[in-house]
């Protein structure tokens, strides 16, 4: 599975942003316009799509696209 | 008032009583009513009654305290209709007794069905409503949840809890155009009140300014209004339908 492509696709779909905006440095809240409900939905979507559990303490740290990809790669790898 | 064509309205505890009247009213106004209750035969009968009137209903057997099964049912409803517009948390029970003598199991049962059941259904439906950026949730509380009642500490606490849950949900979901309100019925003619002793019924009725018990339809009428676009600017409220019993 191409994790990077899948994660990008989910972010584009969930947050309604352009794919070009989804750079590794992009912060979900500051750059991609997510609010607190969006971030919860996003994490739930990752859990569903990749069939994993993401603990709240972990989820809180996933503030940027890069951090989320890094985390998911380690978790799934 | 029509205007609920294409709407999907889920009502818990809707095989009879107030819940059935609410489901029926949504169907009469054009919606597909989703009946959810404990017993298969009761659910079938309720669906049949709506069906016989040439209206739309489907049924599920579910216990609102079982969050996994509630999750699966909402998934199935969403899969079938691709949206869920309205949820009415109506399922409720009483197990009355004075605090001094109340069994722990009676406390737990009432809190579980009334309060946790409302939470469970809200939590499971909300992901779909958030995504569609539309939804109406109506929680059926009781005037007992506002005024308290000797012999109903468990029920009053559960219903007071529902009011606080309603306010919190309204705040949490408002940014996604989801409104959450509560209805507090007074003394309504259903199986729940039919099991009370006649003296109690007479005593209550005498205390009602509009001097009669309410009908399930009275609650259903407000549900229709609260779920309609006419109520677009109302959220987080608890509205009494009690003939003036508590003023
Ligand atoms: N009747 C009144 O005077 C009155 C007054 C105030 C509030 N209410 C509230 O209105 C609601 C409906 O009351 P009613 O008088 O129609 O009661 P009712 O007993 O006639 O009907 C309640 C329905 O809920 C179902 N139910 C019970 N536990 C359930 C569970 N765990 N999961 C799914 N379904 C379940 C029952 O099977 C039943 O069909 C309740 O929340 C009640 O507290 C009623």
């Amino acid at each position: 599975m191409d994790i990077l492509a899948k994660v990008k696709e989910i972010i584009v779909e969930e947050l309604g942003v352009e794919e070009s905006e989804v750079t590794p440095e992009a912060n979900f809240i500051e750059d991609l316009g997510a609010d607190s409900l969006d971030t919860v939905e996003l994490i739930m979507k990752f859990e569903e799509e990749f069939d994993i559990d993401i603990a709240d303490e972990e989820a809180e740290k996933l503030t940027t696209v890069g951090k989320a990809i890094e985390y998911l790669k380690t978790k799934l790898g | 008032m029509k205007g609920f064509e294409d709407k999907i309205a889920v009502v818990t505890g809707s095989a009879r009583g107030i819940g059935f009247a609410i489901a029926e009213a949504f169907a009469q106004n054009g919606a597909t009513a989703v009946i959810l209750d404990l017993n298969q035969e009761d659910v079938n009968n309720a669906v049949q009654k709506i069906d016989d009137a040439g209206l739309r209903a489907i049924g599920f057997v579910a216990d609102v305290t079982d969050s996994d099964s509630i999750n699966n049912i909402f998934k199935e409803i969403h899969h079938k209709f691709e949206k869920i517009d309205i949820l009415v948390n109506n399922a409720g029970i009483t197990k009355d007794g004075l605090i001094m003598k109340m069994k722990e199991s009676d406390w737990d049962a009432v809190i579980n069905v009334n309060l946790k059941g409302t939470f469970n259904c809200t939590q499971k439906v909300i992901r779909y409503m958030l995504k569609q950026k539309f939804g109406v949730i109506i929680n059926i509380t009781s005037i007992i949840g506002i005024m308290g009642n000797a012999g109903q500490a468990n029920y009053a606490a559960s219903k007071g809890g529902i009011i606080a849950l309603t306010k919190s949900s309204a705040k949490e979901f408002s940014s996604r155009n989801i409104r959450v309100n509560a209805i507090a019925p007074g003394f309504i003619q259903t199986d729940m009140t039919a099991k009370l002793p006649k003296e109690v019924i007479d005593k209550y009725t005498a205390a009602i300014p509009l001097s009669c018990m309410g009908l399930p339809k009275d609650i259903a009428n407000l549900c229709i209004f609260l779920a309609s676009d006419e109520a677009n600017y109302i959220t987080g409220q608890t509205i009494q339908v009690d003939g003036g019993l508590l003023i």
Side-chain angles (χ1 to χ4, degrees):
Chain A
M1 179 175 30
D2 186 350
I3 296 177
L4 188 68
K6 187 80 202 159
V7 170
K8 276 195 171 178
E9 186 190 313
I10 292 172
I11 294 170
V12 167
E13 152 124 18
E14 286 292 316
L15 302 181
V17 292
E18 296 294 326
E19 202 183 323
S20 58
E21 296 175 76
V22 188
T23 59
E25 311 79 50
N27 183 295
F28 291 117
I29 293 174
E30 281 151 33
D31 303 314
L32 301 179
D35 65 11
S36 58
L37 285 175
D38 288 320
T39 54
V40 174
E41 282 184 272
L42 195 58
I43 297 295
M44 284 171 72
K45 193 74 184 175
F46 289 149
E47 290 181 325
E48 205 176 285
E49 291 287 325
F50 297 110
D51 199 18
I52 51 169
D53 278 322
I54 304 177
D56 289 349
E57 310 81 68
E58 301 289 345
E60 273 167 30
K61 294 183 206 148
L62 310 182
T63 49
T64 65
V65 175
K67 283 180 185 165
I69 290 169
E70 207 51 37
Y71 172 82
L72 289 167
K73 272 188 179 161
T74 324
K75 185 105 178 172
L76 296 162
Chain B
M1 202 194 301
K2 292 270 173 186
F4 285 90
E5 286 77 14
D6 306 325
K7 298 281 185 192
I8 308 301
V10 183
V11 186
T12 69
S14 49
R16 62 164 197 245
I18 294 173
F20 179 74
I22 295 170
E24 191 181 35
F26 276 115
Q28 285 165 348
N29 282 277
T32 298
V34 183
I35 305 273
L36 215 140
D37 211 304
L38 290 173
N39 176 285
Q40 181 76 63
E41 207 185 318
D42 295 344
V43 169
N44 290 349
N45 288 338
V47 170
Q48 190 64 46
K49 261 194 251 175
I50 294 179
D51 209 54
D52 286 346
L55 305 167
R56 279 192 299 274
I58 62 163
F60 289 94
V61 174
D63 182 333
V64 293
T65 63
D66 180 350
S67 77
D68 282 344
S69 98
I70 291 297
N71 193 31
N72 289 332
I73 286 171
F74 280 122
K75 208 181 268 178
E76 208 176 316
I77 298 170
H78 188 263
H79 187 74
K80 193 171 163 67
F81 298 105
E82 294 180 343
K83 62 183 193 136
I84 304 173
D85 302 283
I86 299 154
L87 166 67
V88 182
N89 284 305
N90 164 83
I93 58 170
T94 53
K95 287 192 185 293
D96 299 349
L98 297 171
I99 292 173
M100 290 274 288
K101 299 177 77 175
M102 186 174 288
K103 289 206 236 55
E104 190 178 340
S105 59
D106 286 348
W107 171 269
D108 288 345
V110 170
I111 297 291
N112 261 327
V113 175
N114 299 7
L115 184 55
K116 193 171 148 203
T118 300
F119 168 77
N120 281 342
C121 294
T122 300
Q123 186 183 46
K124 301 313 174 195
V125 83
I126 205 63
R127 58 185 317 172
Y128 304 110
M129 291 186 172
L130 288 174
K131 198 130 291 162
Q132 70 202 19
K133 296 195 167 47
F134 173 80
V136 174
I137 298 178
I138 299 169
N139 296 325
I140 305 299
T141 173
S142 165
I143 55 163
I144 302 300
I146 303 169
M147 61 194 254
N149 198 18
Q152 289 198 301
N154 48 358
Y155 184 75
S158 73
K159 294 299 189 177
I162 288 176
I163 295 174
L165 175 61
T166 301
K167 294 178 185 180
S168 305
S169 321
K171 289 184 175 179
E172 222 168 277
F173 309 136
S174 59
S175 67
R176 296 297 196 283
N177 190 28
I178 295 163
R179 297 183 294 103
V180 189
N181 290 291
I183 298 178
F187 203 40
I188 312 295
Q189 268 178 37
T190 65
D191 291 351
M192 187 181 267
T193 46
K195 67 186 182 194
L196 294 170
K198 188 176 177 306
E199 311 86 77
V200 177
I201 296 187
D202 290 345
K203 196 185 109 207
Y204 262 108
T205 312
I208 300 172
L210 291 179
S211 60
C212 60
M213 287 177 77
L215 299 173
K217 184 83 197 144
D218 295 319
I219 310 306
N221 288 339
L222 180 56
C223 279
I224 296 296
F225 171 69
L226 284 176
S228 77
D229 289 347
E230 314 284 312
N232 266 347
Y233 203 51
I234 304 176
T235 196
Q237 303 305 304
T238 299
I239 301 174
Q240 294 171 218
V241 180
D242 64 357
L245 181 54
L246 175 62
I247 299 181

